[in-house]
Amino acid sequence: MGDKKIPRVTLPPDVRLDTLAVREGLPRSPWGENSEALFLTSSFVQPDAASAAARFANEEEAFIYSRFTNPTVMMMERRLAALEGTEACIGTSSGMSAILLLAMGLLKAGDHVVCSRSVFGSTIMLLGREFAKFGVETSFVSQTDVDEWRRAVKPTTRLLFAESPTNPLTEVCDIRALSRIAKDSGAWLAVDNCFCSPALQQPVKYGADLVIHSGTKYLDGQGRVIAGAICGSEALINEKFMPVMRSAGMSLSPFNAWVVLKGLETLAIRMRAQSESALKLAEWLEQQPMVERVYYPGLKSHPQHELAMAQQAGSGGAVVSFIVQGQARGGAVLARKNAFHVIDRTQICSITANLGDTKTTITHPASTSHGRLTEEQRLAAGITQGMVRVAVGLEDLDDLRADLLRGLDSL
Ligand SMILES: *Cc1c(COP(=O)(O)O)cnc(C)c1O
């Protein structure tokens, strides 16, 4: 890239995250808009042929064509990079296309990946099945057993991929320990930070090289658009991912980028409020006689509670899972019936597998997000028929308790 750069917003050098979340982006256009503009344009007019040539040759940084450069997308990228504490970011059309771009940018046939067994289901499919077709091999290991990660590394290992906490069991991995393994083996560590968002957890602080996002979740935060991003060093973003974006085009639409950009302004206060409600809901669920077990990193009963508190700014996040009683008395059939009963009795919660919304969502993982697994795989993953997952939104907490009690009380 030449000397001519797209200018930056002028802010005092020491501003904090809450300020960056609202102010980072691009300088205002000559019209002086206060809310960031939505640049719905596929291409950009060049001042003359020579400038066009310099820009296409990457000698001058400027907007060319929205498959790889757009001001609204760049505002979202700069704001998210600031929140994650990385130099750069590249927006993608979805969370999955961020992982697709990650793999296309870093891996070639013969390379090996070590990935947690508990990551998002489509990530397992993409790495384990789709990329296997192109000669990339993936070993799946325990989310929490650091030694298993180390043992799985081979001379061809190029990437370690983790997600924390996981869905729906909220298992927390030790990002710092994984980053040591990555550094020792000359591999990159990528962390899917969807569940915490940078408001609670910044994986690069613990040594991750790259951070993956589904903007669809907390970054938008209101369940409106599909979006994704990779955050990392300028060198990795410019050299590994930009060229792939330019030729493969898993581009983030300016409209979706704009929605996420505005969502980022309220990210921290939403995460704080939703996590506070989630903790209170989890504590309350632990007291309910019809609840067998609660999974939430903010609870002292959670196996990685201490690690989660250190890694996630003292917060458990906003996703709570619990097991409804029934398995002991009537096996998987009764457990499932009871879980369905609790879900179907709600009058406020949305029955949907999405999360990260201001609207609380409720789902039965065993028959939805993890429905494609065999019962054996599901049990190995710890996902039983009695499990219910709640992604806590911004409704009144008493109303949410009452909503869950409708089913729990009538079992
Ligand atoms: C939803 C999700 C994804 C995929 O994101 P999309 O935007 O739906 O493509 C990836 N990882 C995690 C942890 C998710 O929850």
Side-chain angles (χ1 to χ4, degrees):
M1 199 71 69
D3 292 340
K4 274 211 179 160
K5 295 268 191 198
I6 294 167
R8 302 204 63 98
V9 176
T10 43
L11 287 169
D14 51 358
V15 294
R16 293 164 184 83
L17 274 194
D18 286 350
T19 305
L20 291 167
V22 178
R23 295 286 173 177
E24 182 58 284
L26 280 173
R28 293 188 181 98
S29 84
W31 309 121
E33 68 281 357
N34 190 37
S35 176
E36 294 79 359
L38 171 47
F39 288 91
L40 280 184
T41 178
S42 44
S43 74
F44 296 83
V45 178
Q46 307 301 317
D48 49 57
S51 304
R55 291 169 177 190
F56 271 81
N58 260 347
E59 288 158 14
E60 187 181 310
E61 198 181 48
F63 298 105
I64 299 171
Y65 187 64
S66 290
R67 188 183 335 109
F68 49 97
T69 45
N70 176 279
T72 309
V73 175
M74 184 175 273
M75 287 190 263
M76 193 290 284
E77 292 168 338
R78 287 187 171 181
R79 189 169 287 179
L80 183 56
L83 297 184
E84 282 292 359
T86 59
E87 290 170 357
C89 167
I90 185 165
T92 58
S93 56
S94 67
M96 288 323 301
S97 67
I99 303 173
L100 172 67
L101 177 61
L102 177 86
M104 286 183 74
L106 297 182
L107 306 171
K108 60 180 187 320
D111 284 347
H112 176 246
V113 180
V114 184
C115 180
S116 162
R117 206 175 282 133
S118 317
V119 296
F120 192 62
S122 297
T123 307
I124 293 183
M125 290 293 178
L126 180 64
L127 292 174
R129 195 171 65 186
E130 306 305 334
F131 271 90
K133 291 193 275 195
F134 302 104
V136 172
E137 185 204 355
T138 302
S139 304
F140 293 98
V141 296
S142 152
Q143 169 81 355
T144 52
D145 183 349
V146 176
D147 287 335
E148 199 183 335
W149 286 78
R150 197 175 279 283
R151 284 197 305 274
V153 169
K154 303 180 185 192
T156 50
T157 304
R158 302 288 283 155
L159 176 67
L160 270 58
F161 189 97
E163 177 187 315
S164 188
T166 56
N167 178 31
L169 290 171
T170 70
E171 288 179 307
V172 175
C173 71
D174 187 339
I175 300 173
R176 192 174 273 132
L178 298 186
S179 95
R180 267 186 236 118
I181 299 173
K183 296 228 159 43
D184 291 348
S185 46
W188 291 287
L189 171 64
V191 175
D192 183 332
N193 199 24
C194 198
F195 269 60
C196 275
S197 91
L200 303 183
Q201 170 174 280
Q202 295 162 304
V204 293
K205 274 214 307 219
Y206 306 104
D209 301 288
L210 293 156
V211 181
I212 299 294
H213 270 292
S214 166
T216 316
K217 311 293 167 54
Y218 292 102
L219 305 188
D220 164 18
Q222 289 156 79
R224 298 166 293 193
V225 298
I226 303 283
I230 305 178
C231 299
S233 69
E234 221 160 61
L236 281 176
I237 300 289
N238 289 344
E239 288 157 29
K240 300 288 183 192
F241 304 126
M242 264 309 270
V244 179
M245 176 62 77
R246 203 163 165 166
S247 16
M250 54 287 271
S251 326
L252 176 56
S253 93
F255 181 80
N256 289 5
W258 183 81
V259 172
V260 173
L261 176 77
K262 303 309 281 181
L264 289 176
E265 295 182 2
T266 55
L267 173 67
I269 54 171
R270 280 187 282 108
M271 285 311 292
R272 247 172 259 149
Q274 290 174 227
S275 303
E276 261 171 43
S277 283
L279 173 61
K280 289 185 187 140
L281 194 72
E283 287 169 345
W284 174 81
L285 280 166
E286 265 193 330
Q287 307 302 318
Q288 299 311 304
M290 287 314 289
V291 172
E292 192 176 295
R293 182 169 171 190
V294 182
Y295 298 85
Y296 182 67
L299 292 175
K300 294 209 171 57
S301 59
H302 190 279
Q304 297 98 37
H305 174 68
E306 303 287 322
L307 172 64
M309 292 302 98
Q311 209 166 256
Q312 301 173 191
S315 171
V319 177
V320 181
S321 294
F322 59 96
I323 311 252
V324 182
Q325 298 275 10
Q327 184 84 28
R329 236 179 341 116
V333 175
L334 183 63
R336 181 183 175 117
K337 185 166 165 274
N338 287 353
F340 276 25
H341 177 85
V342 171
I343 293 169
D344 289 340
R345 278 297 176 103
T346 61
Q347 294 171 12
I348 297 169
C349 296
S350 310
I351 305 174
T352 171
N354 194 27
L355 64 103
D357 200 314
T358 52
K359 294 180 170 65
T360 298
T361 62
I362 191 165
T363 185
H364 181 250
S367 61
T368 58
S369 53
H370 295 72
R372 283 189 285 178
L373 303 180
T374 64
E375 184 68 7
E376 204 176 28
Q377 287 172 319
R378 254 194 305 274
L379 289 178
I383 295 152
T384 62
Q385 293 292 339
M387 179 174 281
V388 173
R389 190 204 72 192
V390 177
V392 180
L394 285 178
E395 299 94 339
D396 185 284
L397 182 59
D398 287 333
D399 290 339
L400 290 180
R401 286 193 196 108
D403 213 32
L404 292 175
L405 208 50
R406 275 184 255 281
L408 289 171
D409 258 1
S410 53
L411 278 171

